[in-house]
Amino acid sequence: MKPAKFDYHRPDNLPDALRLLDEAGFDGKIIAGGQSLVPIMNMRLATPECLIDINGLTDLDFIECKDHVVKIGAMTRQSQVEDSEVVGQNIPLLKEAVPFIGHVQTRNRGTIGGSIVHADPSAELPLVLMTLGGKVKISSGDEERIVDAEDFFITYLTTDLMPTEILTEIHIPVWEGQTGHSFMEVARRHGDFALVAASCQMAVDEVGRIGNVRLALGGVEAIPFLIEDAQTVLCGEQLTEGLIEQLAEIVGESVEPESDLHASEEYRRHLAKVLTSRTLRQAYERARG
Amino acid sequence: MAMQEIEVTINGTRYEEMVEPRMLLSDFLREVCGLTGTHVGCEHGVCGACTVVLDDAAVRSCLIFAVQADDRSILTVEGLAQNGELTTLQKNFKENHGLQCGFCTSGILMAATDFIEKKPEADSQEIKEMLSGHLCRCTGYDGIVKAVEKTIEENKNSVKELNT
Ligand SMILES: Cc1cc2nc3c(=O)[nH]c(=O)nc-3n(C[C@@H](O)[C@H](O)[C@H](O)COP(=O)(O)OP(=O)(O)OC[C@H]3O[C@@H](n4cnc5c(N)ncnc54)[C@H](O)[C@@H]3O)c2cc1C
Ligand code: FES
Ligand code: FES
């Protein structure tokens, strides 16, 4: 299993990387951590003619929190996010999700940007970005644009990113007040891609009434998606087992999972319901303190 | 594409070689440098046999191209023992049945070396999570977990001794 031949460039700044990418056109491909790209190159499922290595773009390796938004550079390694205090304090949901991505040894190399651009339907980071209403910042030769997570993921392994663009940052709003979070998934073995993953963030008032709740599922359909009904059913209410069951039923009826070699449609539907209940319950308990 | 020249420090020794960009770091170590202690199992990131320490992190050498290691430093299993003396971790693998055929061992030793340095207080659960990145078809992992646990314990004791 050896990759096909390619040209290799290692620019040390973003404008050079964008220029090289533009020149390469459809033959060009960015390599970040390589943890998704290199396996498929080794198997020759991908045979890019020109690789542009952005590991030299050290400006894209940062984590900062300003004005209630955490910004993370695309080249930040997943293990750095896992160990980051800024992330732990401000976006505990993200900190809880990262250890589910592969293994220590892949997180040491795999990047935030790479996982989001790769857009695997079961991937943890796109799911968290969707749950928290995050955004991505994208650069091309002549412009910069910011896209909402909800508009960024299009279908399996496909995003709104053009071949001449580079994802440079992700932005995640920090929730204020009394909040709770929960991330859970079911996978065959630790480190495998999730069969189904659920992710929830909630804010409650002093008497435990839900003010805001975002619940999203991954691994069920082509892209992670929000359960809009969570807002309508739960806002203004104190969480009860009855409400949890009501929402789990709605999820069970509305999701359209596919069967594949890892899990059947029914099993995924079942997991979607179970994980919906569990994450809601845990997020609420944590918010109540 | 033309060959590219790279300079890599491996186990303290500097190597200057010409490589094709598509050469995997695992193949570079084994075939160009003759360091066959790094093993190759799956070549797609799943088995962990090819794990080496690149700068200060354990990574899969089958998912990195040798050109990407230009100007970097690498530690492989050949760099662990000094003057024939095994590290505490290696000794504990030997004493706790942490290996049988040895195919997975070099990768696990490299990951565990990096892990123990970063998490000197790690508990069994954390050790098992770290080991989830490695496949071993012989041992059943029990001896491997013990070897890492014992090393952490011994390191703690020797720190205590130093402080008293
Ligand atoms: C054994 C194993 C288990 C894994 N398990 C999981 C798992 O459970 N969950 C999970 O989510 N992932 C998992 N992964 C994949 C994860 O490790 C990758 O890190 C991630 O999917 C891709 O990030 P990367 O930095 O490695 O990107 P690369 O592999 O370098 O790139 C992936 C794709 O994104 C593009 N790209 C990368 N960065 C940018 C950028 N900044 N701008 C534009 N395009 C870009 C590349 O061109 C490529 O198409 C696993 C991988 C392995 C090997
Ligand atoms: S050979 Fe690299 S992980 Fe299997
Ligand atoms: S000792 Fe044989 S594979 Fe682990």
Side-chain angles (χ1 to χ4, degrees), chain A residues 62-77:
Chain A
F62 66 87
I63 300 173
E64 63 177 37
C65 181
K66 243 195 253 161
D67 304 327
H68 310 293
V69 176
V70 170
K71 296 187 174 175
I72 306 179
M75 284 309 293
T76 311
R77 308 286 167 189

Side-chain angles (χ1 to χ4, degrees), chain B:
Chain B
M1 187 186 191
M3 307 276 269
Q4 295 198 358
E5 185 172 4
I6 59 168
E7 286 186 31
V8 198
T9 305
I10 307 170
N11 305 328
T13 305
R14 211 167 168 73
Y15 292 77
E16 288 181 28
E17 302 288 348
M18 298 296 289
V19 295
E20 244 190 300
R22 68 178 180 141
M23 175 172 267
L24 297 172
L25 179 59
S26 44
D27 288 336
F28 176 76
L29 292 170
R30 292 176 55 84
E31 286 163 26
V32 179
C33 307
L35 296 167
T36 52
T38 299
H39 293 165
V40 173
C42 66
E43 275 188 338
H44 64 275
V46 175
C47 74
C50 66
T51 305
V52 300
V53 178
L54 175 68
D55 290 336
D56 53 2
V59 296
R60 313 285 209 218
S61 63
C62 73
L63 298 186
I64 295 181
F65 296 109
V67 275
Q68 298 186 283
D70 187 22
D71 269 341
R72 314 286 294 272
S73 76
I74 293 169
L75 183 69
T76 69
V77 71
E78 289 90 346
L80 289 180
Q82 296 296 323
N83 305 319
E85 189 162 330
L86 299 182
T87 63
T88 313
L89 180 70
Q90 286 175 306
K91 181 189 66 98
N92 281 325
F93 262 71
K94 197 171 150 188
E95 288 170 6
N96 293 280
H97 302 282
L99 69 153
Q100 283 181 35
C101 79
F103 193 85
C104 67
T105 314
S106 40
I108 297 184
L109 285 172
M110 300 323 291
T113 300
D114 177 49
F115 174 79
I116 293 170
E117 208 175 294
K118 290 181 184 153
K119 293 209 159 91
E121 309 268 330
D123 60 27
S124 306
Q125 187 54 33
E126 288 174 296
I127 294 170
K128 287 179 189 165
E129 273 167 26
M130 177 274 292
L131 287 172
S132 76
H134 294 271
L135 295 181
C136 174
R137 292 280 107 134
C138 303
T139 64
Y141 300 93
D142 213 38
I144 302 177
V145 175
K146 275 199 198 111
V148 180
E149 280 173 346
K150 193 122 185 282
T151 307
I152 289 180
E153 209 174 294
E154 287 179 21
N155 287 350
K156 278 192 205 158
N157 290 340
S158 65
V159 171
K160 261 190 220 146
E161 266 165 41
L162 276 177
N163 291 341
T164 47

Side-chain angles (χ1 to χ4, degrees), chain A residues 202-254:
Chain A
M202 202 183 275
V204 300
D205 66 13
E206 44 312 328
V207 292
R209 276 185 311 234
I210 296 170
N212 192 3
V213 52
R214 289 178 66 100
L215 171 74
L217 296 175
V220 180
E221 294 176 17
I223 56 171
F225 57 92
L226 276 179
I227 305 293
E228 312 271 353
D229 287 310
Q231 290 271 357
T232 37
V233 174
L234 302 176
C235 280
E237 306 284 342
Q238 291 178 330
L239 193 69
T240 59
E241 283 304 313
L243 284 173
I244 292 177
E245 209 171 297
Q246 190 186 338
L247 202 69
E249 283 310 315
I250 295 177
V251 166
E253 277 160 28
S254 62

Side-chain angles (χ1 to χ4, degrees), chain A residues 64-141:
Chain A
E64 63 177 37
C65 181
K66 243 195 253 161
D67 304 327
H68 310 293
V69 176
V70 170
K71 296 187 174 175
I72 306 179
M75 284 309 293
T76 311
R77 308 286 167 189
Q78 292 148 11
S79 56
Q80 284 169 266
V81 173
E82 189 175 352
D83 295 336
S84 157
E85 276 186 24
V86 174
V87 172
Q89 278 167 13
N90 296 290
I91 327 176
L93 177 66
L94 177 59
K95 192 179 171 82
E96 185 160 278
V98 174
F100 287 101
I101 310 171
H103 312 279
V104 181
Q105 303 83 353
T106 62
R107 296 195 293 276
N108 277 340
R109 189 80 187 155
T111 65
I112 294 299
S115 167
I116 285 170
V117 175
H118 190 63
D120 188 285
S122 299
E124 289 78 7
L125 292 174
L127 177 58
V128 169
L129 201 67
M130 194 68 117
T131 311
L132 296 176
K135 298 174 192 299
V136 297
K137 187 169 162 188
I138 296 169
S139 288
S140 63

